[in-house]
Amino acid sequence: MAFISYFAGIIAVCATLLYQYIKIPSSLPKHIPSVPIYVSLLGLWSSMGQDEIYDRWLRRPLETHGAVKIWFAGRWNILVTSPSLITQIFRNESVYAKAGSQKKIPWSVIASLVGDNIINSHGEVWKLYTGIMKPGMQKGNFEVGPILRMSRRFVDLLLQTQEKDREKGVAVNPLIQRFAIAAMGESFLDIDFGCLENPGTRIEVLQTIIKRTIFKPLYFNFPALDKYPWLFRSRRSAFAIMQEFEDLLFNLVRNRPRKLERKEKRETVKPEDELVVHMLERALEDGRLTEKQYRDNLKIVFLTAHENTQQLLNSMFWQLGVDQDIQSKLRAEVLATGTTEPTEALLNSLPYLTSVIIELLRVYPPVSQLINRVSLVPSTLISPHGPNSNLNLPAGTWVGWNAPGVHSSPEVWGPTAREFIPERWGTTPEEIMGKFRKETVKGNFIAFNSHSRKCLGQGYALLEMKICLFELTRKVKWHVDPGYKLKLTSVSTCIRSFCWIYSNEEHL
Ligand code: HEM
């Protein structure tokens, strides 16, 4: 009897602690809905995709209220999709400060992966990182030649893989990953990782493992579990993988064959012609960065400059692989240029190429949801629905956004919001880029974020996509394997399709 009541007592204490842990803080706004906590955990037992989850549980409350309370990373947060609220957050970085995993859950596996870097830091530290790296990310003279060469090799590899087995479609993601890492290495880190030519390089294999490890729903939503690697073997190995990646990247980059001796290069090459890695190295050498800061920023460049294009290329294979009319129209525009050696100016003059890429970013934003800002003081987000709907937030509230939610809202993009229509952006490059900028400033289009913390790699990413898509449509046709059903994972806009690839000379 005593044993039973002892046991019941323990259960009661655990239940109370759990209740206290997951209870919604009374200080958060009461007039916006809360997404049931089980929705955040669906990935544990359900195979529903991110789009299905959004449609079933989030779309209606978000389209009605513009914001909801949602459980994520071990706490209740405010998630917004109203462009007006999003813009207020993006414009006021001094109130809604960037604070990534290194602040929110510093003990976690994801924090050990990303550390403190140019994307997730705030204030003086962010200014230090930006001062060092921005010129290398926004330089106006990225070389087209090397990316074009890699795109050609990528297309050859697609054709060769198809040739090896003509009974089924090609799994495009592994080849895309190899291409994306190679292009990033060339453009930012001055290194050939060798992964385009050789499948299975360790640095590339680690990326596949990392992507699988980071997004495990249980640890994603209850990161407190990461505090006990001695208890959970999978956490122990996750920490080990992150460390292996960091050390391998550091060693590869530090010991890479130099195209030019750096000393010589510094004297002969203007700073704006240098790559990000040269800027990071100089900052390490003259003590502006510690080795930890250097490593963290090296990792984030590696990750962000390949993962997002990788995702976008995957979405592109899917979308253009199911919509042959769009693919043919794009091919016609590319072939009409009559060249095999496009310059940046030529690529920028192609309206359909530009609008297809921007529409891909709208319908399949690679960074789909981020909750990485915290209010530093008590604040109010002014609601477009009137003062009664304003959101009064106490200091220390975590806020974030959901890009597919904004981009697929009929209130923002009209009744065709969920359709893929490149023409909605306009017909001339000026009109298209003008609309792209206008919608970004208004918070209607947030694929690259906006205002002071907008993506610094946006220009490069658009160029890389244009080169790759130019070369792809110039050389091959593809369609999605009819057996493949679109499936987005529960945490990111990630499409891993199989495609049949044919050279343009072959008949479908
Ligand atoms: C399709 C490709 C890309 C997409 C969709 C994308 C998207 C984004 C988004 C949404 C953010 C804001 C993140 C946040 O709010 O925490 C961001 C920030 C950033 N991105 Fe990108 N990105 C892409 C490619 C790149 C590339 C190639 C680089 C080059 C290194 C890059 C460098 C950065 C940096 C440095 C920031 C932080 C800017 C700051 O906070 O000052 N991105 N990106």
Side-chain angles (χ1 to χ4, degrees), residues 114 117-119 295-305:
V114 295
N117 61 58
I118 185 170
I119 298 189
R295 282 174 173 250
D296 288 349
N297 281 295
L298 197 60
K299 284 189 288 179
I300 206 64
V301 172
F302 183 102
L303 295 170
T304 203

Side-chain angles (χ1 to χ4, degrees), residues 90 98 118-120 126 130 137 188 300-301 304-306 308-309 312 361 365-367 370 372-373 401 446-449 452-458 460-461 464-465:
F90 286 169
K98 265 290 186 80
I118 185 170
I119 298 189
N120 64 16
W126 170 67
T130 313
M137 292 184 176
F188 295 99
I300 206 64
V301 172
T304 203
H306 92 268
N308 294 319
T309 7
L312 198 61
L361 283 157
V367 185
L370 271 182
N372 65 355
R373 293 187 184 233
W401 42 265
I446 56 168
F448 291 114
N449 204 321
S452 63
R453 299 302 299 265
K454 69 170 185 275
C455 175
L456 293 178
Q458 170 184 314
Y460 171 82
E464 182 187 343
M465 283 298 294

Side-chain angles (χ1 to χ4, degrees), residues 122-177:
H122 171 71
E124 292 305 314
V125 178
W126 170 67
K127 282 190 196 148
L128 169 71
Y129 297 159
T130 313
I132 293 166
M133 299 161 75
K134 191 172 173 178
M137 292 184 176
Q138 296 204 312
K139 61 207 206 97
N141 59 346
F142 278 110
E143 282 187 73
V144 172
I147 310 175
L148 191 61
R149 262 197 321 279
M150 286 177 187
S151 304
R152 284 192 182 136
R153 186 69 191 120
F154 170 55
V155 173
D156 287 347
L157 288 169
L158 284 166
L159 284 168
Q160 282 167 16
T161 312
Q162 183 68 83
E163 196 53 43
K164 267 192 218 143
D165 183 354
R166 296 194 65 102
E167 299 297 310
K168 60 177 195 300
V170 174
V172 287
N173 179 55
L175 288 172
I176 293 177
Q177 178 162 283

Side-chain angles (χ1 to χ4, degrees), residues 12-24 37 71 76:
V13 169
C14 289
T16 313
L17 287 175
L18 184 65
Y19 174 73
Q20 289 300 330
Y21 181 54
I22 62 173
K23 154 173 121 175
I24 303 176
I37 196 165
W71 178 268
W76 286 95

Side-chain angles (χ1 to χ4, degrees), residues 152-443:
R152 284 192 182 136
R153 186 69 191 120
F154 170 55
V155 173
D156 287 347
L157 288 169
L158 284 166
L159 284 168
Q160 282 167 16
T161 312
Q162 183 68 83
E163 196 53 43
K164 267 192 218 143
D165 183 354
R166 296 194 65 102
E167 299 297 310
K168 60 177 195 300
V170 174
V172 287
N173 179 55
L175 288 172
I176 293 177
Q177 178 162 283
R178 284 163 55 193
F179 165 75
I181 293 176
M184 169 276 303
E186 171 74 35
S187 306
F188 295 99
L189 301 185
D190 191 19
I191 182 172
D192 174 5
F193 287 105
C195 55
L196 191 55
E197 289 307 325
N198 313 297
T201 55
R202 185 64 186 159
I203 195 90
E204 193 249 322
V205 169
L206 283 173
Q207 296 319 296
T208 310
I209 303 175
I210 288 172
K211 284 162 197 160
R212 218 173 36 221
T213 308
I214 284 297
F215 296 119
K216 289 224 161 96
L218 180 64
Y219 302 114
F220 211 48
N221 283 290
F222 293 101
L225 298 174
D226 284 3
K227 286 182 181 169
Y228 311 104
W230 49 271
L231 198 57
F232 301 101
R233 211 176 54 182
S234 89
R235 295 295 85 190
R236 240 184 354 261
S237 59
F239 278 112
I241 286 290
M242 304 310 148
Q243 192 61 51
E244 183 187 347
F245 164 59
E246 177 179 320
D247 292 340
L248 181 59
L249 178 64
F250 180 80
N251 288 325
L252 287 174
V253 170
R254 292 301 274 167
N255 300 319
R256 70 191 185 277
R258 317 272 159 156
K259 286 184 194 142
L260 276 173
E261 276 306 310
R262 279 214 321 288
K263 187 167 172 301
E264 181 191 333
K265 189 167 184 178
R266 217 180 298 162
E267 283 158 12
T268 54
V269 180
K270 286 195 239 107
E272 62 269 26
D273 290 335
E274 289 189 330
L275 303 187
V276 167
V277 71
H278 306 130
M279 296 162 187
L280 282 172
E281 279 167 346
R282 223 182 7 260
L284 177 65
E285 281 157 19
D286 64 23
R288 278 174 294 150
L289 290 182
T290 64
E291 183 175 314
K292 163 102 175 63
Q293 290 174 319
Y294 169 85
R295 282 174 173 250
D296 288 349
N297 281 295
L298 197 60
K299 284 189 288 179
I300 206 64
V301 172
F302 183 102
L303 295 170
T304 203
H306 92 268
E307 268 179 13
N308 294 319
T309 7
Q310 179 183 352
Q311 297 231 91
L312 198 61
L313 281 169
N314 268 306
S315 310
M316 185 279 297
F317 269 98
W318 160 263
Q319 183 63 48
L320 272 61
V322 291
D323 199 329
Q324 295 297 315
D325 290 346
I326 293 182
Q327 196 187 125
S328 303
K329 189 170 168 186
L330 183 58
R331 182 170 300 103
E333 183 182 75
V334 165
L335 293 177
T337 62
T339 181
T340 56
E341 300 294 331
T343 58
E344 185 172 357
L346 178 115
L347 292 162
N348 289 340
S349 74
L350 301 179
Y352 202 58
L353 178 64
T354 309
S355 62
V356 164
I357 293 169
I358 296 179
E359 184 68 347
L360 282 167
L361 283 157
R362 190 187 71 83
V363 179
Y364 307 100
V367 185
S368 57
Q369 180 168 298
L370 271 182
I371 302 181
N372 65 355
R373 293 187 184 233
V374 65
S375 58
L376 297 180
V377 289
S379 65
T380 300
L381 287 172
I382 308 292
S383 168
H385 302 302
N388 290 341
S389 304
N390 287 350
L391 299 177
N392 295 317
L393 307 177
T397 305
W398 292 83
V399 294
W401 42 265
N402 180 294
V406 181
H407 295 178
S408 65
S409 161
E411 205 184 317
V412 182
W413 288 95
T416 61
R418 300 174 79 175
E419 291 166 36
F420 189 87
I421 309 177
E423 290 80 0
R424 75 170 79 241
W425 293 92
T427 51
T428 64
E430 298 71 35
E431 196 186 346
I432 294 164
M433 290 315 288
K435 186 168 169 64
F436 167 82
R437 282 188 286 270
K438 202 172 81 192
E439 301 296 357
T440 300
V441 171
K442 290 195 319 201

